[in-house]
Amino acid sequence: MNNVQPSTSARLRARFADEQAAARRSVDRAFPAVAAFLASEDAPQLTDADALDAYRKVYAEERTRVIKLLDSPGATLTVMCPPWCADDHQEDMTRGTFLEDFAHRGGEEALALSVDGGTEDVIVTEITQYPFGKTLRTPTVVMWPTLGMNAEAEMGPDEVRALAEQVRTYADALAETADELLKIREQGEARRRADHEGRWTR
């Protein structure tokens, strides 16, 4: 298995190529006259390198957050989220957070089982990193059980088989999470510093 994570530049080039192709298809369908002009020699010329550079700036802006810090009045921190972070950081930007409590989160992966006529999460995992914290400075999977002590379910053979299938599916999801975590860590210390480069402003 190849566990090497593509570089940010390679991912951006692939994303740029996909979106560029989609945009061209949309223009071809909706605005054929414009598409014909853009394909002509009279159209303004933009090299792929220039277009990719502009796209990089847009990508950086999409993932850049200005965090309100509670450590000092008026303090802020500008960070660019790593590609795996699924948190919009709205609460960090509006209500604020202490520097060591700021975290990137990859989105929860839960094992949900049928209990007492409903569903309840039994185990929840999530890739988490506190880049400026005392612990978890490296991306780590955090796991916590959530099933209540008094919850129970009565199961027959079919329900037990369904449970087994749910557990197998969750096991596959955990294996994928482990692969993703390995790829994230392989990016190394240099990438961590680049992704979390920020500064205090007063």
Side-chain angles (χ1 to χ4, degrees):
M1 175 185 293
N2 183 5
N3 287 323
V4 178
Q5 174 81 346
S7 66
T8 300
S9 180
R11 287 195 300 273
L12 281 177
R13 284 196 297 270
R15 178 179 168 184
F16 169 70
D18 290 343
E19 295 191 7
Q20 187 180 46
R24 285 173 176 168
R25 288 193 298 270
S26 297
V27 172
D28 289 344
R29 288 194 301 268
F31 307 102
V34 174
F37 170 73
L38 292 177
S40 71
E41 294 182 356
D42 295 330
Q45 299 301 310
L46 182 67
T47 66
D48 288 343
D50 290 337
L52 181 58
D53 183 59
Y55 190 78
R56 283 195 181 100
K57 294 178 181 178
V58 173
Y59 178 84
E61 290 176 0
E62 285 180 355
R63 303 199 64 80
T64 299
R65 304 286 186 266
V66 179
I67 307 303
K68 178 181 178 181
L69 294 178
L70 304 179
D71 302 74
S72 180
T76 63
L77 178 75
T78 300
V79 295
M80 189 171 79
C81 289
W84 55 267
C85 181
D87 195 335
D88 62 10
H89 297 292
Q90 283 299 316
E91 186 169 346
D92 296 330
M93 293 187 291
T94 55
R95 295 189 177 184
T97 182
F98 289 98
L99 181 64
E100 67 177 40
D101 293 333
F102 173 77
H104 291 300
R105 305 182 189 279
E108 296 179 358
E109 188 74 48
L111 172 59
L113 303 181
S114 297
V115 177
D116 290 338
T119 59
E120 186 165 353
D121 293 343
V122 178
I123 297 174
V124 178
T125 59
E126 184 177 48
I127 297 178
T128 304
Q129 180 183 24
Y130 289 84
F132 309 105
K134 296 178 180 178
T135 60
L136 302 183
R137 295 177 68 92
T138 299
T140 303
V141 168
V142 176
M143 183 275 291
W144 61 96
T146 61
L147 186 62
M149 293 296 294
N150 296 323
E152 64 179 38
E154 298 177 359
M155 297 181 291
D158 291 342
E159 288 78 14
V160 174
R161 290 191 183 93
L163 172 61
E165 183 61 30
Q166 285 180 292
V167 173
R168 278 191 290 268
T169 300
Y170 188 63
D172 290 341
L174 286 181
E176 292 177 2
T177 300
D179 291 341
E180 181 182 6
L181 180 62
L182 178 60
K183 292 175 183 178
I184 291 170
R185 288 188 169 187
E186 284 179 344
Q187 293 174 6
E189 182 67 15
R191 172 62 189 278
R192 185 192 71 80
R193 289 177 178 173
D195 283 341
H196 300 294
E197 182 178 351
R199 62 186 181 86
W200 288 79
T201 60
R202 296 179 185 274

